[in-house]
Amino acid sequence: AAGTVPRRRPPRSDMGRGLTLLLLPLALLAAPARAEGGTAAAEEVKIEVLHLPETCSPKSKKGDLLNAHYDGFLASDGSKFYCSRTQNEGHPKWFVLGVGQVIKGLDIAMMNMCPGEKRKVTIPPSLAYGQQGYAQGKIPPNATLIFEIELYAVNKGPRSVEAFNQIDKDGDKKLSELEISQYLKEEFARDGKKRHPSAHDEILADIFKKNDHDRDGFISAKEYNVYQHDEL
């Protein structure tokens, strides 16, 4: 299912960016609408590269964790309907590419993009909000959208093999409470934020509640790798 441009400020969290995006389900870009229309196959995203760094590496791919700012405009009259710089205290947005956390057109538009690159992209209705539009986001039916995007970072995605192996210290292809507890401590030390002493236990319990589906006390590779874009 296609996602949307973020429509509200995400809830503040002291879990740390790495932890939140690594283990907990991402809900920053929830999808209220699906692209519609029978001409999707004939339509495509138009990409104009505004700036390309001399060193263009790494290039983004499906499953990568991206950090970007973007402004959204209606192609019909040029009016701006979204600006990431006015939300979340102006911080760039983090999201996983190619898994439906943004509209289909943005997932396509931001493939093979490198840090420092700027693009202007035009997205047809069939790859955005289709015939129904998105009234809450001030996007009318059958709207062609234009986004100006500046990409800051391309990281390994939160459900990648590399991320799983980083936590799986003993290499048994499942994450124990001890392994995740240790990971939490490392993340907390890395970001340096002050937390209530109970935060560690609360977050650990929440991680297992949301990921340990068979309740065996471990998070298996299958339970962890929800995006299934890599093989463990």
Side-chain angles (χ1 to χ4, degrees):
T4 79
V5 181
R7 61 187 185 277
R8 62 182 183 276
R9 178 179 295 185
R12 295 184 65 84
S13 170
D14 67 354
M15 294 183 186
R17 185 193 71 213
L19 165 68
T20 304
L21 292 172
L22 184 63
L23 286 168
L24 303 182
L26 285 158
L28 300 182
L29 314 161
R34 295 174 182 267
E36 297 179 2
T39 60
E43 295 182 322
E44 60 183 19
V45 175
K46 296 178 181 178
I47 299 174
E48 177 185 356
V49 177
L50 304 178
H51 174 72
L52 189 67
E54 288 186 16
T55 302
C56 187
S57 179
K59 290 191 175 183
S60 60
K61 64 183 184 303
K62 181 180 179 180
D64 281 344
L65 178 62
L66 305 188
N67 185 234
H69 264 316
Y70 43 89
D71 296 332
F73 306 85
L74 297 179
S76 58
D77 60 9
S79 62
K80 182 183 290 188
F81 63 84
Y82 181 77
C83 176
S84 63
R85 292 174 176 82
T86 64
Q87 298 196 9
N88 196 27
E89 299 179 351
H91 297 301
K93 300 297 182 184
W94 288 95
F95 63 94
V96 179
L97 183 65
V99 298
Q101 292 183 346
V102 290
I103 56 174
K104 180 66 174 179
L106 277 177
D107 267 340
I108 294 171
M110 296 184 70
M111 291 287 183
N112 297 311
M113 195 173 181
C114 58
E117 184 174 344
K118 297 179 183 179
R119 291 182 178 181
K120 180 178 180 180
V121 303
T122 303
I123 300 174
S126 60
L127 298 175
Y129 297 94
Q131 297 175 3
Q132 68 189 67
Y134 180 33
Q136 187 177 345
K138 300 181 180 179
I139 299 172
N142 300 310
T144 296
L145 308 181
I146 295 174
F147 284 92
E148 293 181 357
I149 306 163
E150 182 173 6
L151 183 61
Y152 295 102
V154 177
N155 295 338
K156 292 292 184 183
R159 301 288 178 162
S160 67
V161 170
E162 292 86 354
F164 185 93
N165 289 339
Q166 178 186 352
I167 306 172
D168 184 23
K169 301 293 187 183
D170 61 9
D172 63 355
K173 302 303 180 185
K174 58 184 180 181
L175 307 181
S176 67
E177 185 172 323
L178 180 61
E179 286 172 329
I180 294 179
S181 177
Q182 182 60 37
Y183 176 77
L184 287 178
K185 293 176 181 177
E186 293 171 358
E187 281 293 302
F188 290 174
R190 185 177 295 116
D191 68 27
K193 292 183 179 180
K194 292 182 178 179
R195 294 177 174 81
H196 190 275
S198 64
H200 176 279
D201 292 341
E202 291 173 358
I203 294 170
L204 184 62
D206 192 52
I207 288 170
F208 273 87
K209 179 180 178 181
K210 292 179 178 178
N211 293 273
D212 181 18
H213 304 303
D214 62 9
R215 298 293 183 257
D216 67 347
F218 295 90
I219 297 175
S220 67
K222 183 177 180 180
E223 289 170 328
Y224 175 87
N225 197 30
V226 295
Y227 299 132
Q228 298 179 354
H229 59 270
D230 283 326
E231 292 295 330
L232 281 158

